[in-house]
Amino acid sequence: DQQVKQNSPSLSVQEGRISILNCDYTNSMFDYFLWYKKYPAEGPTFLISISSIKDKNEDGRFTVFLNKSAKHLSLHIVPSQPGDSAVYFCAATGTYKYIFGTGTRLKVLA
Amino acid sequence: DAGITQSPRYKITETGRQVTLMCHQTWSHSYMFWYRQDLGHGLRLIYYSAAADITDKGEVPDGYVVSRSKTENFPLTLESATRSQTSVYFCASSTRGTGYYEQYFGPGTRLTVT
């Protein structure tokens, strides 16, 4: 039973445009959500997080939005750059450990 | 070197063999984790440890054994490797087990069981 879902396995975006990566979850007890970025042959690296008491968190080109009623979060990257091409994982945590989604492969086209 | 390292980076073994994957971190983080990454499943937690000599199961612990005698090391052992354990294994460390505390991941070990 997948508690954290990323339904889009891949996404292609033109350089300079907005990239929107989506994540859905089922457990209303999750209280923090995180996004990680992963390049090939490397481990995931932390990107941005959001608490369940907030609906938006921004860090430079990266913004995460949380819609608790819909149990949905999204990561916006504006403007997208070729170096953003990677696999993005969302993760959720509550009383249990971190639960990761299956990842979305983002390709930013120059 | 500072950070979190894993060894070996690549390993091929035969079914039934015992294999140990090593993980070492230099930050003195209390928490350490082992994940496996498989297509269609993302990252799944195998085991985690809250401190030296404290370990607990994650989502997919069957066939794996861990130990943590020192804070900085968290080896993962496959007692009798099976083909279904072919995967990429990531070790991670963190100051906490939940919350907004990010996890720091190692570079991964690609294990192939033939």
Side-chain angles (χ1 to χ4, degrees):
Chain A
D1 182 27
Q2 198 81 20
Q3 295 188 64
V4 178
K5 298 179 183 179
Q6 294 178 257
N7 292 317
S8 298
S10 64
L11 174 69
S12 291
V13 171
Q14 208 66 35
E15 181 181 5
R17 307 294 289 267
I18 184 171
S19 295
I20 300 176
L21 295 91
N22 295 305
C23 181
D24 297 297
Y25 62 96
T26 57
N27 189 340
S28 58
M29 298 301 291
F30 289 141
D31 54 8
Y32 283 99
F33 303 89
L34 305 92
W35 284 93
Y36 284 81
K37 180 167 75 173
K38 185 186 177 306
Y39 292 119
E42 295 182 11
T45 55
F46 170 76
L47 195 56
I48 191 169
S49 65
I50 188 167
S51 163
S52 61
I53 63 173
K54 295 187 175 181
D55 54 19
K56 178 182 174 181
N57 189 27
E58 196 170 350
D59 184 1
R61 296 185 298 113
F62 303 92
T63 303
V64 56
F65 296 92
L66 176 62
N67 183 333
K68 284 183 65 178
S69 60
K71 294 190 178 67
H72 177 84
L73 66 155
S74 61
L75 174 68
H76 293 212
I77 307 174
V78 184
S80 300
Q81 300 173 353
D84 296 330
S85 296
V87 176
Y88 290 79
F89 292 98
C90 66
T93 181
T95 55
Y96 192 62
K97 280 67 64 184
Y98 299 90
I99 307 292
F100 284 80
T102 52
T104 296
R105 183 178 301 277
L106 173 67
K107 188 172 184 179
V108 180
L109 307 169
Chain B
D1 289 336
I4 183 165
T5 57
Q6 293 182 237
S7 61
R9 293 293 312 277
Y10 303 91
K11 177 75 176 179
I12 300 174
T13 191
E14 294 177 342
T15 300
R17 297 253 187 183
Q18 184 181 80
V19 60
T20 296
L21 309 184
M22 304 301 293
C23 179
H24 175 79
Q25 53 106 355
T26 60
W27 294 302
S28 299
H29 284 164
S30 297
Y31 284 81
M32 296 187 75
F33 309 81
W34 273 107
Y35 292 90
R36 58 179 290 175
Q37 184 192 6
D38 304 289
L39 273 174
H41 289 281
L43 291 162
R44 291 183 292 174
L45 182 65
I46 305 171
Y47 268 96
Y48 73 103
S49 168
D53 298 321
I54 301 175
T55 62
D56 204 353
K57 297 178 180 178
E59 297 174 71
V60 289
D62 293 342
Y64 302 95
V65 174
V66 293
S67 62
R68 195 162 175 212
S69 57
K70 292 184 178 181
T71 301
E72 61 266 30
N73 297 324
F74 191 37
L76 176 74
T77 297
L78 288 67
E79 294 186 298
S80 178
T82 66
R83 288 195 181 90
S84 66
Q85 292 177 310
T86 292
S87 186
V88 180
Y89 291 85
F90 289 100
C91 177
S93 71
S94 179
T95 54
R96 292 288 190 274
T98 62
Y100 62 85
Y101 301 93
E102 64 180 282
Q103 295 184 343
Y104 296 84
F105 284 83
T109 294
R110 182 175 293 276
L111 176 68
T112 302
V113 183
T114 63

